[in-house]
Amino acid sequence: MTATPVAHDAAPSQVSFDNVGKTYETSDAPILALTEVSFGVGEGEFVAIVGPSGCGKSTLLRIVLGIAPPTAGQVLLRGTPVNGPQPGVGMVFQAPVLMRWRTVLANVLLPIEILGKSSRDYERPARELIELVGLGGFETRYPQELSGGMQQRVAICRALIHDPSLLLMDEPFGALDALTREQMGSELLRIWAERRKTVLFVTHDIDEAVFLADRVIVMTPRPGRVALDERIHLPRPRSVRMKTDPAFAAHVTRIRGVLGLLPDDEDSSPA
């Protein structure tokens, strides 16, 4: 079967950033982290955010999560302003942050306990998620018995157990070695295709962003604002071999050019 591009242009916005700004008060002077950030994320869309350190990428996720209110503008989830923690949002951090004294299954069920729901009612969905990420048979293992990549798969299950409509991922593979990181990227796309969540994914890795996403939002140095909203014209499903495609290289080159990562004599705007 021939792979075809996935079109999300007609999808309604699940997340909308409307002139979002964020200033942090410090003992020395206020720090303007974000200013005039506006873009939308459609239902079921995979959007990556890249930019230099300190440009506010992670702050954007915290604002969506409802734990860091903006100081200007607003974020809307399905048209409703975000004014506090959002129960329909899952979060995956750079470190898995698993409880060492809890088994894989117990770690996945932790959000259910925090929400005051019955773990017994969610044990079957938890086991299905564990199977989905390729960890079937590891339900009774402890984090210290797992590799870094396996621990991050458990963290993804934990973020999905309450069936959120939106998944936020803050450099989830940043602490992994290059080979494991590449494998986890392919695994994430498989899980995304299966569950079709809306994903907002922060990364420093331009190749990773282009490989995973439908669109890549490129941020300027602090104060962060949108420098480029790059729609990725690559077919799905995607494989690592696609990274040798000239179209892939063109997207990477364009993004690197916007970030000022190309020598002056290189063309930063390939056709």
Side-chain angles (χ1 to χ4, degrees), residues 13-269:
S13 288
Q14 180 172 355
V15 185
S16 298
F17 294 88
D18 183 11
N19 284 314
V20 170
K22 179 65 177 178
T23 300
Y24 288 102
E25 299 296 335
T26 71
S27 56
D28 296 327
I31 296 177
L32 181 59
L34 296 166
T35 184
E36 299 177 348
V37 174
S38 295
F39 66 93
V41 181
E43 294 274 357
E45 193 172 23
F46 197 126
V47 174
I49 305 175
V50 301
S53 295
C55 73
K57 302 185 298 296
S58 296
T59 296
L60 284 174
L61 298 192
R62 289 195 289 268
I63 292 174
V64 177
L65 197 59
I67 60 175
T71 49
Q74 63 180 349
V75 173
L76 304 176
L77 283 182
R78 290 200 175 94
T80 301
V82 174
N83 293 316
Q86 300 299 307
V89 178
M91 183 78 190
V92 180
F93 300 94
Q94 181 171 349
V97 200
L98 303 178
M99 304 298 183
R100 294 178 61 82
W101 59 91
R102 296 176 70 108
T103 64
V104 165
L105 181 60
N107 266 290
V108 172
L109 288 169
L110 181 60
I112 300 304
E113 297 176 20
I114 293 173
L115 291 170
K117 299 181 180 181
S118 170
S119 295
R120 184 177 301 176
D121 293 341
Y122 283 83
E123 183 171 330
R124 181 176 176 181
R127 291 182 181 277
E128 290 174 351
L129 280 170
I130 292 168
E131 188 72 33
L132 176 66
V133 302
L135 290 180
F138 287 84
E139 291 85 353
T140 60
R141 299 291 184 90
Y142 290 87
Q144 55 270 29
E145 300 178 274
L146 307 177
S147 68
M150 293 168 77
Q151 290 185 33
Q152 199 61 297
R153 293 182 192 202
V154 176
I156 292 172
C157 290
R158 184 181 58 193
L160 292 173
I161 186 59
H162 64 294
D163 196 27
S165 58
L166 173 64
L167 184 61
L168 307 178
M169 309 189 80
D170 192 0
E171 298 232 41
F173 310 141
L176 303 177
D177 63 84
L179 179 59
T180 304
R181 183 170 187 154
E182 191 168 88
Q183 292 171 338
M184 286 298 297
S186 296
E187 278 294 295
L188 176 59
L189 287 183
R190 183 180 63 81
I191 296 166
W192 175 75
E194 177 83 17
R195 294 298 174 111
R196 214 56 175 191
K197 303 296 183 182
T198 304
V199 177
L200 200 51
F201 185 99
V202 163
T203 180
H204 279 98
D205 190 314
I206 297 170
D207 283 37
E208 181 176 69
V210 172
F211 177 65
L212 294 175
D214 297 310
R215 287 163 53 215
V216 177
I217 304 297
V218 184
M219 303 290 291
T220 68
R222 191 174 66 228
R225 51 169 57 90
V226 177
L228 176 69
D229 185 341
E230 178 84 346
R231 183 163 295 280
I232 306 302
H233 297 289
L234 296 172
R236 293 194 187 275
R238 294 179 185 170
S239 67
V240 174
R241 182 174 297 177
M242 192 171 291
K243 293 184 178 181
T244 63
D245 192 305
F248 182 94
H251 284 300
V252 171
T253 300
R254 186 156 35 243
I255 292 169
R256 289 180 64 85
V258 171
L259 290 171
L261 300 176
L262 293 177
D264 292 338
D265 60 349
E266 288 193 38
D267 179 14
S268 62
S269 301

